[in-house]
Amino acid sequence: MPAISPFVTEVDFASGDLSAPDYIIQRKLSDMAAMYADAGEAARILAEEGDRLIYEVQGMELPAEEGQIPHCTTRILPGRIGDEYHMTKGHYHARREQGEVYFGLSGRGCLVMQTEAGETSVQEMVAGSAAYVPPYWAHRTVNVGDEDFVFFSVWEARAGHDYGTIERDGFRKLVLLRDGGPAVVDNAKYA
Ligand code: S6P
Ligand code: ZN
């Protein structure tokens, strides 16, 4: 017997707020300071300016079983740590063969992706962009604008999240402020 009844969630495109989220996750600089290229600047901000909210996720919880389709919004606040734009932690799916779809709701961002075989892809996203993260591609989003960057994500319930690989190795590509705008550069520290 199906355990889940149909439901509708209202989504505010500007804020990413859901009408009745099952969960809200907030990621602050202190949760991910080591992920930024300029670790010294991250430490200075924490010591002198205090912690800051980098992004917030609001989602609908569904059982981690075949056929369930969890979905959520992500709002990344504008800003930088040194030259590096605010971003999500990023992850591979624990089950690498599971892909995902992102849909841009407001603001301007980049979707940074890579495979363990060494391929990389950085795609621009704006309101209305439907971005496909294929199976086997790690994914991180970056706010390269002056306003919140908000998008909607849809994935398969058994995908799971592998954060450890990215925490250990990082991404091959970084999105940094160069000449007044965002530029994709090689990560010299990539493990
Ligand atoms: C889930 C999907 C997104 C992210 C969210 C936050 O598979 O890719 O909903 O969870 O954008 O990013 P992260 O890297 O902290 O999970
Ligand atoms: Zn994902």
Side-chain angles (χ1 to χ4, degrees):
M1 277 293 285
I4 305 287
S5 299
F7 62 89
V8 169
T9 306
E10 303 302 330
V11 181
D12 185 288
F13 284 19
S15 66
D17 285 349
L18 303 185
S19 47
D22 286 331
Y23 62 89
I24 297 177
I25 299 169
Q26 293 196 325
R27 298 283 184 220
K28 297 184 175 178
L29 179 58
S30 57
D31 297 318
M32 55 185 302
M35 300 187 113
Y36 284 93
D38 191 342
E41 176 61 7
R44 187 201 63 76
I45 291 170
L46 288 172
E48 294 180 13
E49 300 173 14
D51 211 353
R52 67 168 77 157
L53 180 64
I54 304 286
Y55 64 100
E56 181 176 273
V57 177
Q58 300 194 15
M60 306 311 294
E61 193 92 60
L62 290 164
E65 60 190 35
E66 181 176 7
Q68 299 287 352
I69 304 177
H71 44 282
C72 73
T73 57
T74 303
R75 173 174 72 101
I76 309 176
L77 282 71
R80 281 179 281 110
I81 307 301
D83 288 340
E84 192 169 22
Y85 292 93
H86 283 179
M87 61 190 187
T88 60
K89 289 182 166 190
H91 57 268
Y92 287 93
H93 288 155
R95 291 182 60 157
R96 297 287 195 272
E97 69 274 23
Q98 299 287 357
E100 182 157 5
V101 171
Y102 282 3
F103 187 77
L105 301 181
S106 61
R108 206 159 67 88
C110 282
L111 171 55
V112 178
M113 293 174 281
Q114 68 184 30
T115 66
E116 289 171 301
E119 300 155 286
T120 61
S121 173
V122 180
Q123 304 287 334
E124 291 180 25
M125 285 186 69
V126 294
S129 301
Y132 183 50
V133 179
Y136 300 99
W137 287 77
H139 37 290
R140 160 182 283 165
T141 40
V142 182
N143 184 346
V144 297
D146 301 324
E147 304 165 7
D148 288 349
F149 170 50
V150 183
F151 60 95
F152 188 75
S153 310
V154 182
W155 67 98
E156 211 266 5
R158 295 166 307 163
H161 295 86
D162 168 12
Y163 291 103
T165 303
I166 296 298
E167 281 168 356
R168 188 188 67 217
D169 299 342
F171 272 81
R172 290 172 185 270
K173 299 290 183 185
L174 305 177
V175 183
L176 306 182
L177 173 68
R178 290 283 182 269
D179 300 324
V184 178
V185 304
D186 288 336
N187 177 7
K189 286 196 217 158
Y190 182 76

